[in-house]
Amino acid sequence: MNYTEAKEHAEGCLHQIFAMPYEAFDNDVPERKLHLRVALQALLDEALREQRLTLQVIHGWENGAFAPADLHHHEHKLRGTDDIAASLAYYRDALANLTPLPIDTGSLLAEPLANAIASAEQNGATIDAETRESPARWPDFPNGLALYTFFKVYHRLTYGEDDAYRSICCKTSEGLREIHEFHLEEGEFAVVTPLHDAKAGGVKLVLHVSQVEPVLALLSDLS
């Protein structure tokens, strides 16, 4: 298992702001709403102003299912208030009218998983069916830990999580990224951003389609 691929509970940019970021967003913290606004400004404000922010909406998993091929996504560039309003209106209308949701080409998990397994097998590994179908066993082969880490993020964003916040460092195709995951009364979402001490790059706001309205409302308050 290659632990350089991912590390849960890693220090990220919010550790530079809050003494105890894991407690900063708990419901019993009087300043939690202020903390959330400060965190969102730190994670998203500059990326939104510099047009480096992308909204990634996930959907497809239902009723406890988690097959990689069933997880779909669609991405939108967010360049300002007009894009935020347009995305909010689009999904509000789609959900109200049961319109099929858009699906981008290229999967978040299925294709990268198949590629990682094929590469491992080319290098002499034997990947059995149980390993292929059990996300907890993906770390047994190279790039599997990173895939398993993102699998858990998508699963928690779809089905919920008790912890209000967690910080993760994970390898992606664009390099190492911080993942800041929030599960709050105000909304559930993750922000994938370059490392806090790296140069500026693309930032993704990842959320389940059911969270578009509350989370984009938070984002609108920043702009």
Side-chain angles (χ1 to χ4, degrees):
M1 187 181 298
N2 185 357
Y3 287 100
T4 63
E5 292 180 16
K7 182 180 180 182
E8 297 244 6
H9 308 298
E11 288 197 6
C13 73
L14 296 191
H15 287 77
Q16 315 301 312
I17 299 173
F18 302 106
M20 295 185 293
Y22 272 64
E23 287 77 41
F25 310 101
D26 288 343
N27 287 330
D28 58 354
V29 175
E31 301 86 1
R32 62 178 298 277
K33 290 185 181 293
L34 173 61
H35 292 169
L36 176 58
R37 183 173 182 83
V38 169
L40 292 177
Q41 287 177 329
L43 294 170
L44 299 174
D45 188 50
E46 185 177 276
L48 180 61
R49 286 188 286 105
E50 296 180 355
Q51 301 186 2
R52 295 185 285 107
L53 181 60
T54 300
L55 172 67
Q56 184 182 85
V57 180
I58 62 172
H59 59 92
W61 283 349
E62 297 178 345
N63 303 317
F66 56 83
D70 293 336
L71 179 67
H72 305 302
H73 74 288
H74 183 58
E75 295 189 353
H76 310 253
K77 290 292 293 184
L78 297 181
R79 294 172 288 262
T81 54
D82 288 347
D83 287 340
I84 295 171
S87 296
L88 179 57
Y90 176 84
Y91 283 102
R92 183 182 288 156
D93 180 73
L95 292 175
N97 295 292
L98 302 180
T99 304
L101 297 171
I103 299 174
D104 286 359
T105 58
S107 61
L108 295 173
L109 291 175
E111 290 180 17
L113 176 63
N115 292 337
I117 290 174
S119 177
E121 290 179 331
Q122 288 174 359
N123 286 287
T126 299
I127 311 297
D128 59 24
E130 184 177 358
T131 300
R132 294 168 185 266
E133 297 170 5
S134 302
R137 297 189 62 173
W138 294 350
D140 291 349
F141 50 84
N143 294 319
L145 179 57
L147 286 168
Y148 179 47
T149 299
F150 270 98
F151 167 86
K152 290 187 290 183
V153 172
Y154 300 138
H155 193 277
R156 289 189 294 257
L157 291 177
T158 300
Y159 294 116
E161 164 68 11
D162 292 333
D163 292 340
Y165 170 76
R166 73 176 62 210
S167 176
I168 304 165
C169 180
C170 189
K171 184 176 75 173
T172 73
S173 58
E174 291 82 28
L176 287 174
R177 290 293 185 268
E178 294 180 4
I179 307 173
H180 300 270
E181 193 178 333
F182 296 85
H183 298 272
L184 311 172
E185 292 179 356
E186 293 81 0
E188 300 190 60
F189 59 95
V191 179
V192 183
T193 182
L195 301 185
H196 64 276
D197 55 357
K199 67 178 183 179
V203 174
K204 287 188 178 180
L205 174 60
V206 186
L207 46 81
H208 186 261
V209 64
S210 64
Q211 296 296 304
V212 167
E213 187 159 357
V215 175
L216 288 189
L218 291 173
L219 190 57
S220 296
D221 290 341
L222 294 180
S223 55

